[in-house]
Amino acid sequence: MLDTLAHTLRAHPDRPAVLGATRTGAVRVKATHADLADLADRHTAALHARGIGRGSTVGVAVRPGPRALAVMLAVHRLGARAAVLDPGAGPDVLRARLALARPDVVLADATAQAVAGWARPLARRARLALPDLAELGPVVTVGPRLPGCAPALDSGVRTTALPRPVDEDGDAVIVFTSGTTSSPRAVVHTRSSLAAGMATVAELVGPEAGRPVLGGTFFVLLPSLASGAPVALPARSPRVLARQIRQLAPQATYLTPPQLRHLLAAGGRFTGRVWTGSAPASADLLTRVKQAGADEAWGVYALTELFPAAAVEQADKAAFTGAGDLAGPPLPGVAAKTDAAGELLLSGPAARHRYLGQEPDPWVATGDRAHLDANGRIVLEGRLKDMVLREAENIYPGLYEPALHVPGVELAVLVGVPAGDGDEHLVAVVQPSRGADRGALRAALAGPLERMGAARPDAVLLADIPLAGRSLKPDRAATARLAAARRREGSRG
């Protein structure tokens, strides 16, 4: 896919590649095909001059956009691998992660260096923190430099002939997912697994040349651009994003569930097909997206280890009446099964090759409890680690949470609150939609709660649910603490 993209960029140099938006939502071209191709060539030459090649590791701390994409193209051409740095992970975790990856060089834009330096107090408010990047490896600046930044990537590098592209399999990218400072965990994708994942996205979304796609993730950018479709990076402000979509009229849109909820609250409308993932998307949310103009609304089940794995359209999800969360049929090439504990295992060409420092394993243990229905579709039953133990009975929240998403519910999770002697109380924490009538909402929840049988919660709390991580998923630990505090307050009252 990256080779196809490089060819497409040179074949149509004047076409827009990456789009942005002004505050009024007007379309702004951030880079043309030629801009992106030239930038990738300059990065390739500069990295090659620094000795980067097959077997090298390049740390990448560059904001999503043309420069980050050009970096990935350069690293791919040289046969090196990119280790992605996440400013939201915290400096101690990042330091441990990069000690495992041991980058030969760290490419950082001025913003990342500011977060690690003079702007650290400001960045901490936004939950961004980086260690001193120089601790991780030699640092060079990608893009404009600010005072105090490391030397520019291409400073002092003479223009030389580009090396021939590496045309064999090998490690392509390292993405850190979990673990502790003492035992970090990193997913390693090879060039072939990365290509397989992007090919699946291209087949699933089917981007048409010349028509814009809205989305900021690597797996949206590459297949779309390789197909000749310009990609618009979503505006951060929901109101600006609503104006951006109205003026852009994208053929396809990829936003996370929190982005969709904020956009809908701002009165946003959609065109074409809408895709969402990275966090749970209820049938109600997908229905609201279609009601706001989308031709189709899809929930994508994906993991860092295998992207994408399954997808389901709103109509099928809304029609599902069984227990659990319908994720859809495995996508072509994806094999799915469950083990004796009910954990979902996945395999296929797009599956990660291994975890860094471990032996390859063809099967990805998802950490999700699930079953395959009579039609072979994946039905999620919740995270194994989220199990609640009440009166010696194991309760898996994912089996019951979808039923709580009645009209007027923004989010709903079931959490366990310690009740003494190793037992737990089960609490449903429900976040009402903006403007929802709370009395009517409790009445609407009565039926679903009654049908939960032995898993009926001990209490229902209407409150905003804490979110965490880059994808802003519900933070179950924080939600459990919130539920425990509210129960203590109630007992004292």
Side-chain angles (χ1 to χ4, degrees):
M1 183 70 70
L2 283 161
D3 295 330
T4 301
L5 172 56
H7 174 76
T8 300
L9 296 178
R10 287 302 183 193
H12 307 283
D14 297 328
R15 289 183 180 176
V18 182
L19 310 175
T22 66
R23 291 188 63 83
T24 64
V27 178
R28 181 168 62 92
V29 177
K30 296 175 73 72
T32 65
H33 281 201
D35 294 335
L36 200 53
D38 291 344
L39 193 57
D41 284 350
R42 292 202 300 272
H43 289 347
T44 300
L47 288 171
H48 179 62
R50 292 175 179 273
I52 300 300
R54 182 163 174 77
S56 300
T57 300
V58 178
V60 179
V62 183
R63 285 170 297 172
R67 292 190 189 94
L69 192 54
V71 164
M72 297 303 293
L73 286 169
V75 171
H76 175 80
R77 176 166 184 152
L78 293 169
R81 63 183 185 182
V84 181
L85 306 182
D86 176 14
D92 293 340
V93 173
L94 273 174
R95 194 177 288 109
R97 290 175 172 181
L98 270 298
L100 180 64
R102 299 168 60 187
D104 298 279
V105 65
V106 175
L107 306 185
D109 58 22
T111 299
Q113 294 178 64
V115 168
W118 64 267
R120 183 175 290 141
L122 295 174
R124 193 176 295 118
R125 298 178 189 174
R127 297 183 180 180
L128 302 176
L130 286 169
D132 181 354
L133 295 176
E135 298 178 15
L136 310 178
V139 181
V140 293
T141 300
V142 175
R145 294 180 66 246
L146 292 175
C149 282
L153 172 61
D154 55 0
S155 62
V157 177
R158 298 178 180 178
T159 302
T160 58
L162 293 174
R164 292 180 60 84
V166 171
D167 188 21
E168 55 186 273
D169 204 7
D171 291 352
V173 65
I174 301 171
V175 183
F176 292 92
T177 58
S178 60
T180 64
T181 55
S182 60
S183 182
R185 194 171 196 184
V187 171
V188 180
H189 274 285
T190 61
R191 294 158 68 95
S192 59
S193 68
L194 204 60
M198 289 186 289
T200 302
V201 173
E203 183 178 344
L204 182 65
V205 178
E208 298 177 16
R211 298 182 59 199
V213 171
L214 180 75
T217 67
F218 188 64
F219 275 93
V220 172
L221 283 162
L222 287 179
S224 301
L225 287 172
S227 300
V231 178
L233 303 178
R236 292 187 178 183
S237 162
R239 294 189 181 280
V240 176
L241 180 56
R243 300 185 196 116
Q244 181 184 19
I245 293 176
R246 184 167 60 248
Q247 298 200 35
L248 195 67
Q251 61 171 308
T253 296
Y254 185 92
L255 297 171
T256 64
Q259 286 177 310
L260 290 180
R261 290 193 292 269
H262 294 155
L263 182 59
L264 288 166
R269 302 283 300 176
F270 298 96
T271 61
R273 290 176 292 170
V274 175
W275 307 82
T276 190
S278 302
S282 66
D284 178 69
L285 177 60
L286 297 180
T287 299
R288 290 166 58 200
V289 168
K290 287 183 77 170
Q291 291 171 343
D295 296 331
E296 298 174 2
W298 289 81
V300 179
Y301 176 59
L303 302 89
T304 304
E305 291 89 342
L306 200 161
F307 184 99
V312 61
E313 209 278 323
Q314 175 271 340
D316 289 333
K317 189 149 187 168
F320 181 72
T321 58
D325 184 18
L326 178 65
L331 291 170
V334 176
K337 66 180 182 180
T338 57
D339 65 12
E343 182 175 8
L344 178 65
L345 307 178
L346 299 173
S347 187
R352 56 96 185 96
H353 180 253
R354 68 190 187 282
Y355 293 104
L356 192 61
Q358 299 182 19
E359 292 298 315
D361 183 352
W363 288 96
V364 173
T366 64
D368 288 320
R369 182 180 170 87
H371 70 269
L372 302 178
D373 71 4
N375 297 314
R377 301 179 299 181
I378 297 172
V379 180
L380 301 175
E381 300 176 352
R383 299 288 293 172
L384 287 171
K385 67 180 182 181
D386 294 332
M387 182 192 77
V388 178
L389 180 63
R390 183 176 64 175
E391 296 180 352
E393 181 178 3
N394 296 340
I395 298 173
Y396 292 94
L399 271 174
Y400 307 100
E401 288 170 349
L404 299 176
H405 284 86
V406 299
V409 171
E410 194 75 52
L411 285 173
V413 297
L414 292 167
V415 295
V417 173
D421 297 326
D423 202 5
E424 294 178 286
H425 290 306
L426 183 65
V427 179
V429 184
V430 177
Q431 178 175 317
S433 301
R434 183 179 300 179
D437 181 279
R438 297 200 169 203
L441 183 55
R442 286 189 179 276
L445 287 168
L449 291 170
E450 184 66 31
R451 290 191 295 273
M452 290 172 67
R456 181 167 181 163
D458 300 293
V460 177
L461 171 64
L462 300 186
D464 288 344
I465 293 172
L467 305 176
R470 287 175 296 173
S471 303
L472 295 179
K473 297 179 181 179
D475 186 331
R476 291 182 179 274
T479 304
R481 291 193 295 271
L482 171 65
R486 293 290 181 87
R487 285 179 66 84
R488 287 195 300 270
E489 291 170 6
S491 63
R492 287 197 298 268

